[in-house]
Amino acid sequence: MKKLYSALMTAFNEDGSVNEAGIREMVRYNIDVNKVDGLYVGGSTGENFNMSHDQKVQVFKTAIDEAGDAIDLIAQVGSLDLNESKELAKLVTDLGYPKISAVTPFYYNYTFEQIKNYYNEIVKDVDNKLVIYSIPVLTGVSLSIDQFAELFENPKIIGIKYTNADFFLLERVRNRFPDKLILSGFDEMLLPALALNVDGAIGSTYNLNAKRAKAEMVAFDEGDIDKARELQKVSNDAISALIANDIYPSLKLVFEEMGVHAGVTKAPMSKPTPEMIAGAKKIYNDYFKD
């Protein structure tokens, strides 16, 4: 069975400080109710790039303290500051995270040799396994199949969080590297990713939508493509509604409707408006209410 990971959100207080109690609630809900296979901690959904170093450390410590070894944990340690990435890689390894991940370095149009050095440096001094976080739509960095091959020459680099709509490249990567871990990162494209034999998926909406996504995986494995297609349609309807309502704060607002105190997003992301709150209530009633 393919694995499903929720991309863990970070609960913030109104003043922008980390709300540890909220993080613990979200971790517990994902373990006890969603029954996901793992959590991706410190990624885009976790608002990692809006956080200070100390806040990142706080989130990593809180998440694993609550989760323990109940599920798989992947810590996203990528940063434009390579020294910070290396420091976080050591920290999370010492905390017990069994895998780390790192976004491709962005903004400065790095050469591939610089990107390769970044990944090799992150894993050089830690006894851990790294999953490349490839998300070209946000980083502007697209890696080719041959560049992935060069990165995979390092035995500590074990796979890809593939958040990319290029399904031709995904098919090529899957077939060239059958033993590498490939996890789909676009929730709205889960079904075509399953068709290309990914090992699982990581996504933000799985915090709310894990049961439907897991049912889709089961339907696909059982050959019931019509059912899988219908489940993907409903998921995509929900995703469209979340995007229209401002997805990051809306994920947290819907979580609140589900009884999970997810806090607020951190500025410069939006704070909830009355219209946004009303929209989130409708999304909850339309797609997630039992």
Side-chain angles (χ1 to χ4, degrees):
M1 182 67 186
K2 300 179 190 303
K3 305 294 186 183
L4 191 73
Y5 294 72
S6 289
L8 185 67
M9 292 183 281
T10 300
F12 291 101
N13 298 308
E14 291 287 348
D15 64 358
S17 60
V18 172
N19 181 332
E20 290 188 9
I23 293 173
R24 291 181 183 275
E25 283 195 45
M26 289 188 283
V27 171
R28 285 257 59 88
Y29 188 91
N30 272 294
I31 294 172
D32 299 336
V33 180
N34 283 338
K35 300 189 185 303
V36 294
D37 299 290
L39 291 172
Y40 190 81
V41 184
S44 306
T45 304
E47 300 174 61
N48 175 280
F49 307 107
N50 283 347
M51 286 195 281
S52 69
H53 177 80
D54 289 346
Q55 287 182 319
K56 295 174 188 178
V57 171
Q58 190 177 3
V59 169
F60 286 134
K61 287 182 175 179
T62 304
I64 196 167
D65 183 65
E66 187 62 41
D69 59 2
I71 52 175
D72 191 28
L73 295 173
I74 304 175
Q76 197 292 125
V77 300
S79 168
L80 283 180
D81 181 347
L82 178 56
N83 287 330
E84 180 187 38
S85 294
K86 294 176 69 171
E87 183 179 336
L88 290 173
K90 184 178 187 309
L91 170 85
V92 298
T93 300
D94 290 345
L95 287 172
Y97 280 80
K99 297 182 186 70
I100 59 176
S101 182
V103 69
T104 48
F106 53 91
Y107 188 81
Y108 288 107
N109 294 322
Y110 293 101
T111 67
F112 176 68
E113 286 305 312
Q114 291 168 329
I115 293 170
K116 182 178 176 181
N117 178 68
Y118 161 89
Y119 280 116
N120 288 336
E121 280 292 314
I122 288 172
V123 296
K124 184 176 70 173
D125 298 322
V126 294
D127 183 16
N128 211 328
K129 303 179 288 289
L130 184 140
V131 176
I132 299 161
Y133 182 12
S134 178
I135 182 167
V137 69
L138 293 183
T139 62
V141 180
S142 296
L143 297 173
S144 70
I145 188 166
D146 289 336
Q147 289 171 337
F148 280 123
E150 280 196 52
L151 293 173
F152 287 148
E153 289 173 4
N154 187 325
K156 291 182 179 180
I157 300 177
I158 64 164
I160 311 166
K161 180 180 185 284
Y162 189 90
T163 310
N164 188 345
D166 185 343
F167 282 87
F168 175 69
L169 178 62
L170 176 57
E171 185 275 334
R172 296 286 80 193
V173 170
R174 173 75 290 170
N175 281 282
R176 185 162 169 183
F177 309 110
D179 298 326
K180 294 299 182 181
L181 179 68
I182 301 179
L183 298 166
S184 173
F186 272 138
D187 309 17
E188 63 272 30
M189 301 180 194
L190 174 59
L191 184 54
L194 293 174
L196 291 174
N197 199 30
V198 295
D199 298 296
I202 299 171
S204 55
T205 64
Y206 303 142
N207 286 279
L208 314 176
N209 198 42
K211 293 178 183 178
R212 188 176 288 123
K214 290 174 77 172
E216 180 178 331
M217 288 177 162
V218 170
F220 180 85
D221 284 346
E222 292 177 348
D224 192 345
I225 303 304
D226 286 342
K227 181 177 180 180
R229 190 182 296 118
E230 177 59 27
L231 288 166
Q232 185 70 68
K233 175 195 176 298
V234 177
S235 293
N236 285 359
D237 288 344
I239 291 167
S240 295
L242 285 163
I243 291 170
N245 203 57
D246 197 340
I247 188 165
Y248 287 108
S250 294
L251 286 166
K252 294 181 177 183
L253 288 168
V254 175
F255 236 163
E256 292 284 342
E257 294 295 318
M258 299 166 84
V260 180
H261 299 104
V264 297
T265 50
K266 186 179 181 185
M269 288 193 179
S270 304
K271 292 295 187 288
T273 63
E275 294 78 14
M276 198 185 295
I277 293 168
K281 288 180 183 293
K282 185 176 189 311
I283 293 168
Y284 167 71
N285 286 322
D286 287 350
Y287 301 106
F288 301 111
K289 189 174 183 178
D290 292 332

